[in-house]
Amino acid sequence: MASKSKVPPNEMSFLDHLEELRWHLIRSVLAVVIIGSVAFLMKDFIFDTILFGPKKMDFPTYRFFCKIGTFLGVDSDFCADELPFTIQSRLMAGQFSAHIWTSIWAGFIVGFPYVLYEMWKFISPGLHPNERKYSKGFIFTASLLFFLGALFGYYIVAPLTINFLGGYQVSQEVTNEFDLSDYVGKVRISVIACGLVFELPIIVYFLTKIGLVNPEILRKYRKISLVVILILAAVITPPDIISQVVVALPIFVLYQISIYISKRVLKSEAKREAKLAKERAKNKS
């Protein structure tokens, strides 16, 4: 029996588009599940090495800040022998549940480029041919920004948060014994939130393409954006000025890069429109 030929995107009905989206989502979920299954089997590495890494004082971030404190001649909490808290599981299914959900999120993080690829395959038929040819570059750039953000969250935001909250006490009578799900959640949100925040240039690129933002708007609201960035940094970091500046600085740099990207997009669009107008004028003559 002959296979059914693929319907051109401009001839597809709304239900056809939904069916197409469904299969892209199914393949994305399968990729996450497969990678998550591999992560599930790597329990010791995922938990002992990665998740509980920021709990140990030999973590690279702590050693780095300890050396800075030693160089400046000031006492630093980053030079302690161990963090003054323990992790426990108070639910019978707590450890198994943490294992399952951590594996799923690991599958999403590692499989992010493929998920992005599937989403791009769904929207790319609606783009112009000259825009579609940049798909590979888009996927690489968006994936690179996500992984850079994830690394920033893991090596900067997560250890700063854990070090501050893990050592914070209102009284010596109170000991810090954190639940496993709470600790894992702090590391997870630091990694994924920073990964998504680092996608700001990509978001601005598409918002500029559809006409919602432009360089003038981004420059006009730069001061307001700086305040929002500082508030965001205060939310995802401990309440000390050094941690907030460390987190806010790369986000503000990304905002500046986004202004440049928006400018380049408008310049490219203007060239394309001028070229089309020239071709139309030539055809009329």
Side-chain angles (χ1 to χ4, degrees), residues 102-115:
T102 298
S103 301
I104 292 174
W105 283 110
F108 172 77
I109 293 171
V110 177
F112 182 79
Y114 181 78
V115 173

Side-chain angles (χ1 to χ4, degrees), residues 8 30 32 67 119 139-140 162 190 194 224 227 277 279:
L30 282 176
V32 171
K67 289 180 180 178
M119 295 301 100
I139 294 170
F140 173 79
I162 292 170
S190 298
C194 288
I224 298 177
V227 174
E279 289 178 354

Side-chain angles (χ1 to χ4, degrees), residues 197-211:
V197 167
F198 270 54
E199 295 292 331
L200 179 62
I202 303 296
I203 296 172
V204 170
Y205 172 84
F206 281 106
L207 291 178
T208 304
K209 293 288 288 185
I210 62 179

Side-chain angles (χ1 to χ4, degrees), residues 159-180:
L160 289 178
T161 302
I162 292 170
N163 183 272
F164 176 80
L165 297 179
Y168 188 84
Q169 286 183 294
V170 295
S171 171
Q172 294 297 325
E173 299 295 324
V174 183
T175 58
N176 285 331
E177 298 177 349
F178 303 131
D179 192 74
L180 175 63

Side-chain angles (χ1 to χ4, degrees), residues 2 52 84 202 205 214 261:
F52 294 147
I202 303 296
Y205 172 84
N214 56 56
I261 290 174

Side-chain angles (χ1 to χ4, degrees), residues 55-58 77 79-85 163:
K55 183 182 179 297
K56 304 169 184 175
M57 291 309 298
D58 61 350
D77 293 336
C79 297
D81 294 329
E82 62 179 11
L83 287 171
F85 70 88
N163 183 272

